[in-house]
Amino acid sequence: MSRNDQRNTIQLLINEEGNRAAVRELLTDYYEVETASSLVEADLYLVDDYSFHDYHSALREHVNESDPVFCPVVLVRRDDDHHRVPLPNPDERDPPLLVDDIVEAPIDRTLLFRRLNTLLVRRSQSQELMHYISKLEESNRSLEQFAYAASHDLQEPLRMVSSYLQLIDQRYEDELDEEGREFLGYAIDGANRMRDMIEGLLEYSRVDTRGSPLEPTDLEAVLDEALADLRMKIGEHDAEIEAEPLPTVLGDDDQLRQVFQNLLNNAIEYSGDGPPRIRVSARREGRQWRIDVSDDGVGIDPEDQERIFELFQRLHSHKEHAGSGIGLALCKRIVERHDGRIWVDSGSSSGATFSFTLPAIDSRRD
């Protein structure tokens, strides 16, 4: 029997006073019916207001343990003020609610089946969703482990290649002709670029596993650290960086420093012929802050504005501009870890504004 052919199991938590035998007969042709006196594994629990208080604690515990998989509980409520159970309060901050639906007695067979089937479909969907989420998390962990292992294991042979290339350059430079020195230069440059790519891939693979908890983070202090890291490059290019007051957000300060550093480095690198002029600003948008890093550089063609955030995507050759093709992908992954998004607005030759969102301090819910 396939999974789709299996009948759902409903446990009746109804005593004889609540006509358990009659309700069981009503359901048997359509569902597997369980009538044990204590809670067992089932797809749905049908309880009435005569026995609800006897099972309340056990149901509450079972529903909480099942969360986030939906565990439906249906209450049969009879026309008896003494046994009446009040409707659940939708404003209660104690999810999930214990009773998901209420059927008034006498039971309307068609209405009961419709409500039960609706709840059982929700349960099946929640089970499938959790199955896919589990598979996705497992896949992501495997990919992260593979990226880390591959990057880490590549470092040692690459260090050996780089070391011997440097030794050849130092000891035999005078013995090489112009073409030999050119070839050696290409090899050293390739080894250096490979090292940068491996280091970038290591950082990329560790964003989720090695990140610090998101805490109140002063973006002005984070930007100052990024500017200090880029001090030499800023001086070499005579870059002018103007920053408006920046907020305190929920974030990982080290990762956000990497975001600023990558965006500022790109703005300097792609500044065109004139000295770079860069502006950093912030504005509140609902429960988030939007941060803009604007420049007056060479711009980005609209057709390329999405793919530049993918791994190893470059718009220029290594001769034109240095880089590993990982920086913007790393920025995207960091921002997404902060439940934000990142994008760019630009013309093909009129500068660019990279924007990203971060959660405001008061976005946390108690």
Side-chain angles (χ1 to χ4, degrees), residues 27-48:
L27 300 176
T28 297
D29 289 341
Y30 301 92
Y31 309 100
E32 296 293 335
V33 180
E34 175 61 59
T35 58
S37 58
S38 58
L39 242 63
V40 298
E41 283 297 325
D43 297 300
L44 183 145
Y45 298 90
L46 188 62
V47 62
D48 72 352

Side-chain angles (χ1 to χ4, degrees), residues 15-189:
N15 56 29
E16 293 300 337
E17 186 181 4
N19 296 324
R20 180 174 61 186
V23 176
R24 179 179 183 179
E25 183 178 353
L26 184 67
L27 300 176
T28 297
D29 289 341
Y30 301 92
Y31 309 100
E32 296 293 335
V33 180
E34 175 61 59
T35 58
S37 58
S38 58
L39 242 63
V40 298
E41 283 297 325
D43 297 300
L44 183 145
Y45 298 90
L46 188 62
V47 62
D48 72 352
D49 51 5
Y50 287 87
S51 54
F52 179 74
H53 294 292
D54 296 333
Y55 291 101
H56 180 276
S57 297
L59 279 171
R60 167 66 68 189
E61 182 178 353
H62 186 71
V63 169
N64 286 336
E65 288 177 351
S66 298
D67 189 51
V69 173
F70 180 52
C71 179
V73 176
V74 177
L75 175 73
V76 177
R77 191 166 63 170
R78 304 181 185 279
D79 188 15
D80 185 335
D81 291 336
H82 178 71
H83 295 286
R84 184 172 292 275
V85 176
L87 288 167
N89 181 2
D91 296 325
E92 285 182 359
R93 299 190 61 169
D94 186 21
L97 295 174
L98 181 55
V99 175
D100 300 288
D101 203 349
I102 293 179
V103 177
E104 302 287 350
I107 295 175
D108 181 315
R109 177 189 179 112
T110 301
L111 177 62
L112 175 65
F113 285 176
R114 184 185 306 132
R115 291 185 173 180
L116 294 183
N117 289 336
T118 297
L119 294 172
L120 288 168
V121 167
R122 282 183 57 193
R123 173 174 172 80
S124 177
Q125 290 173 338
S126 74
Q127 289 175 317
E128 291 178 0
L129 178 60
M130 292 308 300
H131 173 74
Y132 290 129
I133 289 175
S134 176
K135 289 292 186 183
L136 181 60
E137 290 175 344
E138 181 181 345
S139 175
N140 285 340
R141 283 193 298 269
S142 297
L143 287 172
E144 288 176 1
Q145 290 170 357
F146 172 78
Y148 175 78
S151 302
H152 186 270
D153 292 345
L154 283 171
Q155 285 192 5
E156 183 57 35
L158 180 61
R159 275 195 291 265
M160 183 179 294
V161 170
S162 297
S163 297
Y164 278 101
L165 285 174
Q166 291 171 9
L167 284 174
I168 292 172
D169 185 34
Q170 294 169 8
R171 295 186 183 182
Y172 302 105
E173 180 181 12
D174 295 338
E175 300 178 25
L176 296 174
D177 58 18
E178 183 177 349
E179 189 176 47
R181 287 194 293 272
E182 183 180 3
F183 291 164
L184 182 59
Y186 289 149
I188 292 174
D189 179 64

Side-chain angles (χ1 to χ4, degrees), residues 164-342:
Y164 278 101
L165 285 174
Q166 291 171 9
L167 284 174
I168 292 172
D169 185 34
Q170 294 169 8
R171 295 186 183 182
Y172 302 105
E173 180 181 12
D174 295 338
E175 300 178 25
L176 296 174
D177 58 18
E178 183 177 349
E179 189 176 47
R181 287 194 293 272
E182 183 180 3
F183 291 164
L184 182 59
Y186 289 149
I188 292 174
D189 179 64
N192 289 336
R193 286 192 283 112
M194 178 64 76
R195 181 197 62 222
D196 292 340
M197 291 175 68
I198 289 174
E199 290 176 352
L201 190 57
L202 271 172
E203 284 186 314
Y204 184 85
S205 69
R206 293 173 172 176
V207 167
D208 293 317
T209 57
R210 298 292 182 92
S212 300
L214 305 189
E215 298 177 340
T217 301
D218 182 357
L219 284 186
E220 291 194 1
V222 172
L223 177 60
D224 288 341
E225 292 178 2
L227 292 174
D229 292 338
L230 294 169
R231 182 175 60 253
M232 185 174 296
K233 186 159 190 171
I234 292 171
E236 290 174 351
H237 290 79
D238 193 25
E240 181 181 306
I241 300 176
E242 175 188 349
E244 294 184 359
L246 299 179
T248 296
V249 300
L250 283 177
D252 178 333
D253 57 352
D254 186 58
Q255 290 188 346
L256 294 179
R257 178 186 57 77
Q258 290 178 290
V259 172
F260 275 122
Q261 188 170 331
N262 277 311
L263 294 181
L264 293 172
N265 183 73
N266 283 355
I268 296 172
E269 182 70 30
Y270 297 95
S271 61
D273 298 330
R277 297 294 177 262
I278 304 165
R279 183 168 176 265
V280 182
S281 59
R283 68 184 185 207
R284 182 70 180 261
E285 294 185 345
R287 302 181 67 82
Q288 295 181 316
W289 280 95
R290 169 177 166 171
I291 313 301
D292 294 328
V293 179
S294 305
D295 63 63
D296 57 359
V298 298
I300 301 170
D301 192 292
E303 294 182 357
D304 296 322
Q305 290 177 12
E306 290 189 12
R307 75 178 183 90
I308 59 173
F309 293 102
E310 299 174 7
L311 271 173
F312 305 123
Q313 293 297 314
R314 295 176 51 86
L315 304 184
H316 305 272
S317 68
H318 291 287
K319 290 184 178 179
E320 294 175 297
H321 295 283
S324 62
I326 296 177
L328 289 177
L330 178 64
C331 290
K332 180 181 179 182
R333 186 158 188 185
I334 290 173
V335 169
E336 289 178 346
R337 187 201 165 214
H338 288 71
D339 292 328
R341 65 187 187 96
I342 185 170

